[in-house]
Amino acid sequence: MSVPPEAALKRAEVMSAVLRRSGLRLTHQRLEILKELAAADVHPDVEAIYHAVRERVPTISIDTVYRTTAALVHLGCVRRVSATVGPARYDPNVGPHHHFVCQSCGLIADIEDADLDVLSPPSAVGELGEVSRAEVYFKGVCRSCAARSG
Amino acid sequence: MSVPPEAALKRAEVMSAVLRRSGLRLTHQRLEILKELAAADVHPDVEAIYHAVRERVPTISIDTVYRTTAALVHLGCVRRVSATVGPARYDPNVGPHHHFVCQSCGLIADIEDADLDVLSPPSAVGELGEVSRAEVYFKGVCRSCAARSG
DNA sequence: TTGGCTGCAAAGCTTTTGCAGTGCG
DNA sequence: CGCACTGCAAAAGCTTTGCAGCCAA
């Protein structure tokens, strides 16, 4: 939630535009979910989005959050990332970037690094399929988990 | 299942040794699960392991497969990897290596590349936590999915 | 012998789906 | 006004847990 307001606004506008352009309806519920995602920098899961949006739209159901996130992923507006533990998390940053993953609590943090962005696959990968993107995951233990377990 | 027999045997022996050394019992069921994992090169999920082992141990239950894989992950004998879709998959190769992931069917293939192994995290990562390993995921669409959908 | 392990059953958690009413375009 | 969307409820899929009997060490 500490994404710069102007960046969040821009993201929300892009998402709205893509939604509208693709023929999907921009409902009150979808708008709130989309704004929540646009402003998120903690890769929230569906449960977290649901609770946050419910503050403003008390009648929303979690099904709608599932359906809307699925639609946004399908449109390429957000990216579904999954840790090795816990529910799927959603990343509103769809540009090239990388992640730090805490193996203990599942925290996922963005890592921006131009050198990693230009990583190209070894030639052998071509035999497996068509690569659209490379993502580096740095796995370890985050500060708070390290502090908690000594 | 096309891992070289001697490599699979070696892996199975290492896993058995680790299990025994850690005070866990090497039961008939565990031995078969462990052999199945040692010989696997397709990153099977629990369901796949269960069905394969059941050919030889018809009375085994899927709970035991869940419990045994969890134990092996905890001991560092196999690695749990998760695609963005479907159940968790298990990788008996715990050395440094990378993956190709099919975004359509969830297939995960190993990629060996010495250059990628020595990738070091950007300095900013140090603020987040302690990194124990870097893994590169090349995401795209595998050959059979590409063929299926044109 | 005995404490850890197994199989069974039930439950928990995440996610998907069918349906009827609602509201966006 | 029509059809996509929503909320509700039920179910499906993956995984974990409690318990009583069994077996590796």
Side-chain angles (χ1 to χ4, degrees):
Chain A
M1 281 292 238
S2 64
V3 164
E6 64 275 16
L9 192 61
K10 169 109 187 184
R11 270 186 192 162
E13 280 169 5
V14 171
M15 289 187 197
S16 306
V18 172
L19 219 68
R20 225 179 288 117
R21 204 180 319 135
S22 66
L24 298 179
R25 291 181 182 170
L26 191 55
T27 63
H28 181 46
Q29 293 91 330
R30 282 185 178 167
L31 186 63
E32 293 300 331
I33 291 169
L34 174 166
K35 274 163 48 181
E36 194 62 35
L37 271 166
D41 68 349
V42 295
H43 303 75
D45 59 18
V46 166
E47 190 72 23
I49 299 168
Y50 172 58
H51 276 102
V53 171
R54 203 148 72 131
E55 306 271 302
R56 286 169 274 141
V57 189
T59 61
I60 201 171
S61 76
I62 198 166
D63 320 74
T64 298
V65 182
Y66 271 106
R67 282 187 274 226
T68 301
T69 47
L72 291 171
V73 168
H74 193 246
L75 293 172
C77 290
V78 299
R79 192 177 291 171
R80 180 180 169 146
V81 286
S82 54
T84 45
V85 61
R89 290 162 170 274
Y90 296 86
D91 185 348
N93 178 356
V94 292
H97 68 281
H98 310 275
H99 295 104
F100 170 82
V101 178
C102 175
Q103 308 258 260
S104 173
C105 69
L107 167 130
I108 303 177
D110 280 357
I111 296 184
E112 306 276 356
D113 186 279
D115 290 342
L116 296 177
D117 293 348
V118 298
L119 218 57
S120 61
S123 55
V125 179
E127 294 163 25
L128 298 166
E130 190 78 21
V131 172
S132 56
R133 146 179 110 254
E135 287 178 33
V136 184
Y137 286 81
F138 293 100
K139 304 197 172 181
V141 177
C142 74
R143 297 217 149 181
S144 43
C145 283
R148 198 178 314 122
S149 62
Chain B
M1 281 293 238
S2 64
V3 163
E6 64 275 15
L9 192 62
K10 169 109 187 184
R11 271 186 191 161
E13 280 170 4
V14 171
M15 290 188 197
S16 305
V18 172
L19 218 69
R20 226 179 287 119
R21 204 181 319 136
S22 67
L24 298 178
R25 292 182 181 169
L26 190 56
T27 63
H28 180 45
Q29 293 91 330
R30 283 185 177 166
L31 186 62
E32 292 299 331
I33 290 170
L34 174 164
K35 274 163 48 183
E36 194 62 34
L37 272 166
D41 68 350
V42 293
H43 303 74
D45 59 19
V46 165
E47 191 72 23
I49 299 167
Y50 173 58
H51 275 101
V53 171
R54 203 148 71 133
E55 306 272 301
R56 286 169 275 143
V57 189
T59 61
I60 200 170
S61 76
I62 198 167
D63 320 74
T64 299
V65 182
Y66 272 106
R67 282 188 275 227
T68 301
T69 48
L72 291 172
V73 167
H74 193 246
L75 293 172
C77 290
V78 299
R79 192 178 290 172
R80 180 181 168 145
V81 287
S82 54
T84 46
V85 61
R89 291 163 169 273
Y90 296 85
D91 186 348
N93 178 357
V94 291
H97 68 281
H98 310 276
H99 294 104
F100 170 82
V101 178
C102 175
Q103 308 257 259
S104 173
C105 69
L107 168 130
I108 303 177
D110 280 357
I111 296 185
E112 307 276 357
D113 186 280
D115 291 342
L116 296 177
D117 293 348
V118 299
L119 218 58
S120 62
S123 56
V125 179
E127 293 163 25
L128 298 166
E130 190 78 22
V131 172
S132 57
R133 145 178 110 253
E135 287 178 32
V136 184
Y137 286 81
F138 293 100
K139 303 195 173 182
V141 177
C142 73
R143 298 217 148 181
S144 42
C145 283
R148 198 179 314 122
S149 62

